[in-house]
Amino acid sequence: MKRKLAYTLLSPLLAAGLLLSPLAGVDHAAAATPVKLAATAKTSAIGVYVDDKKLSVSKAPYTKNGVTFVPMRELFKALDASVTWESKAQTIIVRKNNTSITLTIGNKVALINGKSVKLDAAPEMKSNTTFVPARFVAESLGGTVKWDSANQAVRITTEEYEFQKEYEEYQNELNNRTKYTPKQIVDMYDDSVVTITTNKGLGSGIVIDDRYVLTNYHVIQDSSSATVTTIDNEQIKVTGVAASDKENDLAIIQTDRSIGATPVEVGYSSMNVKKGDKVVAIGSPLGLQNTVSDGLISNIMYISGTRYIQTSAPIDHGSSGGALFDEYGELIGITAAGYTSQADLNFAVSSLYAAILMEDLPEKPADNLKFLDPTLPATLVGESNEKIAALLKDQFGTFDTEQGTAELSNWKVTKDSQGWLVITTDMDPVFYTYYGGQTKEDLRTWAINLGSELHRMLPDETIQFTINFDRVFGFEPRGFDSSEVKALGDGKWEVKFPILDMQLKDQLYIDLRN
């Protein structure tokens, strides 16, 4: 599955960059053996057109041995190239973007970016005017050349002009697309969105081929098994991950047999969306299969380098990996995250990255696929306390909430006199001061997940995990237990108390401070 080039590179976001960026390196082999233009009668006037505009010249172009010669300066100006004339050496130096051409009067060897290229005809000097072979020069600078025999004219088209015409055609196509209602979009793609059940949880997915399903990386992360459930309640086993992009939170999973659903075309439509555009989301929030919601594009933003589409279309846990369509029925995003709030703050990863990821797919489903490598080891039995603390800091050093990301620091792991494994860490006191009361349920969910992983990696340990508030004040705070306030001297007081206390072995207990 290869990326479609036609028009897709010419989105509003990319077109300006393409038009201003250096041209790709020319095919010097092709430039070395130019096709001769048709010979014309010496009395015929030859017209030269650059990007459909007739070139105004001081001296008339002419043909010689089937090669058309054009006055140097007028041609290079029309091609937007700079030219330097070295009179003593009778040498012409032409530069445009990343291409440099050196030509010498009477010499059939030119230099393109320092490499020698043989010419069919050398530049000539006539009546104090320098003439250069039109086809060789134009093609060496990335253009195309055609002979218009009916009008006895040379027609040169630059790469920039070709891009601009394609872009205008593309914009015309965009402006004339058919708009669909949410119901029509559901009729087209309801069977294309599936529910993904892993041994870790629930998510959604988008059918993009007979046995391939696009989803979020975090839906399949740390899973060792998964099934896909279709709109017809058919369950299909997942054999592994065919391609993944952790940085942009995307993965493509492969099923063990045909899904039998309508594949969704994945392209670059997300680059054309704007704030205020209407969208439709299909996913399985809280496991409610193929729930449909609609809304607007609220914003377009980059988070850690990834382009996200913010939308007011409601989603929830289980919607991750679902489809976000624009009103033209084109996939523009993969729903990835949402916050429970009156503002409907929901986010989808741009489908741009999915289109790029699909290039990594094999042409046929592969045998013996594997799931993603786990982020946590199978066991921590026998590891030192220092290594356990380092691992927890790396993998659990932050947790996300609707109010932002909370940081945990000062991780310590010890064994107490009763044989308990005691793990402590401190929460950012500023974050807790502002948001502690609002993030209790997020913290509880995060801690349950941590407790499950700790028990899996250390099944025989009795574990106590504590998150502390720890901050120094310039006054003696009131209302705390005496054990929670400590005088440090010089008018400084330390306040330290447990925000969360979790204990586990065969069962789990969690206490959160009110």
Side-chain angles (χ1 to χ4, degrees), residues 177-241:
R177 289 177 296 171
T178 301
K179 291 185 179 182
Y180 299 100
T181 65
K183 183 181 183 304
Q184 289 174 319
I185 292 173
V186 170
D187 289 343
M188 288 189 289
Y189 293 119
D190 201 21
D191 72 326
S192 307
V193 180
V194 297
T195 300
I196 300 173
T197 306
T198 75
N199 59 309
K200 292 288 185 178
L202 288 172
S204 302
I206 307 162
V207 178
I208 57 173
D209 207 338
D210 192 43
R211 291 175 56 188
Y212 289 132
V213 176
L214 173 66
T215 187
N216 287 131
Y217 187 96
H218 73 262
V219 168
I220 206 72
Q221 186 176 18
D222 288 322
S223 299
S224 57
S225 63
T227 57
V228 162
T229 303
T230 70
I231 190 67
D232 297 322
N233 206 33
E234 183 180 5
Q235 294 189 346
I236 303 172
K237 181 181 178 181
V238 175
T239 59
V241 178

Side-chain angles (χ1 to χ4, degrees), residues 5-141:
L5 178 62
Y7 306 136
T8 58
L9 294 177
L10 297 173
S11 65
L13 184 66
L14 300 180
L18 286 170
L19 295 176
L20 296 175
S21 63
L23 297 178
V26 297
D27 185 341
H28 301 318
T33 56
V35 178
K36 294 181 180 180
L37 299 173
T40 63
K42 292 184 179 180
T43 57
S44 299
I46 298 173
V48 178
Y49 292 80
V50 177
D51 294 338
D52 295 331
K53 293 181 180 179
K54 189 171 184 179
L55 186 66
S56 177
V57 293
S58 57
K59 299 289 177 64
Y62 62 89
T63 62
K64 184 177 179 179
N65 298 324
V67 177
T68 299
F69 289 81
V70 179
M72 170 187 75
R73 292 196 180 277
E74 290 93 333
L75 177 60
F76 290 138
K77 182 179 180 180
L79 293 174
D80 197 25
S82 65
V83 59
T84 302
W85 167 250
E86 298 287 351
S87 58
K88 289 184 178 181
Q90 297 283 283
T91 297
I92 308 158
I93 302 173
V94 185
R95 294 184 179 89
K96 182 176 180 179
N97 297 321
N98 64 341
T99 301
S100 173
I101 306 172
T102 302
L103 300 159
T104 303
I105 300 298
N107 191 341
K108 285 190 174 183
V109 176
L111 294 177
I112 300 179
N113 291 339
K115 294 183 178 180
S116 297
V117 178
K118 189 175 180 180
L119 309 178
D120 273 6
E124 296 183 348
M125 180 77 76
K126 285 191 174 185
S127 303
N128 294 322
T129 299
T130 302
F131 289 81
V132 293
R135 181 179 291 277
F136 171 79
V137 168
E139 291 183 345
S140 296
L141 293 176

